[in-house]
Amino acid sequence: MTDKLRLANVTKHFGTNRVLDQLSISVAPGEVVSFIGASGSGKTTLLRCINLLETIDDGSIHLDDLEITRVGVDANPIRRRVGIVFQSFNLFPHMSVLRNTTLALTEVLGNSREEAESTARTLLARFGLADKFDSYPDRLSGGQQQRVAIARALALNPEVLLLDEITSALDPELVGEVLDVVRELKGSGITLLLATHEMGFAREISDRVCFLANGTIAESGHPEQIFGDPQDQRTQQFLARVINSGRLN
Amino acid sequence: MPRWDRVKASFFDGERLVDSMPRLLEAFVLDVKIFAWTTPAILAVALLLAIARNTRNPALFPLRIFVIAYTDVMRGVPVILWIYLIGFGVPGIGLERPWNSPLLWGSVALGLTYSAYVAEVFRAGIDSVHESQRAAARSLGLSSAQTMRHVVLPQAIRRVVPPLMNDMVSLQKDVALVSLIGPIEILRQAGIDKSKFANFTPYVGAALVFLAITIPLTRLTDWLLTRERERTGSSRVR
Ligand SMILES: Nc1ncnc2c1ncn2[C@@H]1O[C@H](COP(=O)(O)OP(=O)(O)O)[C@@H](O)[C@H]1O
Ligand SMILES: [Mg+2]
């Protein structure tokens, strides 16, 4: 089977700070890959590069057979196929939940308002937001906001969804409802890449876990291997720290 | 020491006020007209200037430089000087009627200067919208123009309504500057009446007319500011 996503020697600097260093990985269609690693190890940057929110300095990223990082490739059609959900939700505060979800449908895909709203209603209802269509983001809990953000990203029916620490800004009691949504997505055919600090969740949901250090994938493998029998010393140290702080459950 | 009865006679003569007021109000219609046709033009031009300045396309660098130069130059010179320069100057270069009207070019001068001030207000509003909002919009496949239109501008404009109102209050007053190049609006009419009666009461009358407009506008601005502050949730520290 051909890869859904293929990163080859991706390198990214911020000034002199080399954040991604010759990072390579291939992801199969429908695969769920988690990226773990210390804060500042480049997880967010990696996901933003795949969504073309950042430009890479070297290497290449392919979506199916299309090299999306080649100069001159229009980013907008790519972004319809690759969605992203941010740590801080980034909902549009001046739009209702429904409008947040229909915006890309009407403006990017050119759907009619009715068509778009019917798609959005179905999605929002699926994520337990049926009574929130007309609410504004500031009236929602963090968990609800993040579920809206996931619905917004899914409205375009992307082939790949990038989830950047989507529960990090949530109160602990709200984490579960958001993770449930992600559980539901697994197996729907969509390819999921997640950056996460929820080790238990990464272990449960991932087909593969990648440990990021120094801008590259230091170790990757099946979750049971990474969490049960890490080979790289940095992975071991990182997991030990996480266990000590009580975050592996 | 000035005596109160003299002050009263020369500034607050009730009879003169009653006599003058209809003429003043009639002349004030011109102020309102100038205000009414410059305001939409100012808002439109200012918005375009602010958007142009905010473009990120490297190819549009010259446009950005032009906008920066324009706002700097227009704001760096007193309004009255532009009104003299454009309002007197342009009709003087031999244009045919009606294109040689000082009223027209005085309004243009006012519009050009104010669009530079208002453009800065819009720019501050655009800058205040967090980068993550753009990222969210772009990540959904919206173009930068669509992002500006649907995501950035609605938030930016909402935030700058109070400062915009401040500028509109100023404009409402500065309209009277156009009188200096000829058109008989309220300030000019008050001057004519003052000379006729040798009494300052018509000026006080004109001042009252301005206050009747500007004070409610200022109060409305304050109210909008307070509401905006409450809406954005930052509760006031006692
Ligand atoms: N826009 C930016 N400008 C400059 N440096 C950045 C920027 N974004 C991230 N960085 C730096 O890149 C490194 C990786 O950051 P990030 O990708 O956010 O890591 P993580 O998501 O794993 O915490 C950090 O050192 C961070 O300071
Ligand atoms: Mg991050």
Side-chain angles (χ1 to χ4, degrees), chain A residues 1-6 26-31 63-65 191:
Chain A
M1 206 178 219
T2 58
D3 300 321
K4 174 50 74 181
L5 208 54
R6 191 168 74 252
S26 295
V27 181
E31 194 178 356
L63 178 64
D64 291 331
D65 290 329
T191 306

Side-chain angles (χ1 to χ4, degrees), chain A residues 165-177:
Chain A
E165 292 204 35
I166 57 169
T167 57
S168 292
L170 298 179
D171 291 333
E173 74 271 20
L174 301 177
V175 168
E177 63 188 63

Side-chain angles (χ1 to χ4, degrees), chain B residues 155-168:
Chain B
Q155 298 185 60
I157 290 173
R158 213 162 296 195
R159 280 178 216 180
V160 299
V161 165
L164 270 183
M165 299 269 296
N166 269 332
D167 276 358
M168 290 303 116

Side-chain angles (χ1 to χ4, degrees), chain A residues 14 17 19 37-46 54 164-165 212:
Chain A
F14 286 116
N17 181 9
V19 179
S39 185
S41 59
K43 303 182 293 295
T44 296
T45 305
L46 173 62
E54 303 286 354
D164 186 14
E165 292 204 35
L212 241 59

Side-chain angles (χ1 to χ4, degrees), chain B residues 147-158:
Chain B
T147 299
M148 186 51 93
R149 169 158 168 240
H150 295 286
V151 174
V152 178
L153 283 183
Q155 298 185 60
I157 290 173
R158 213 162 296 195

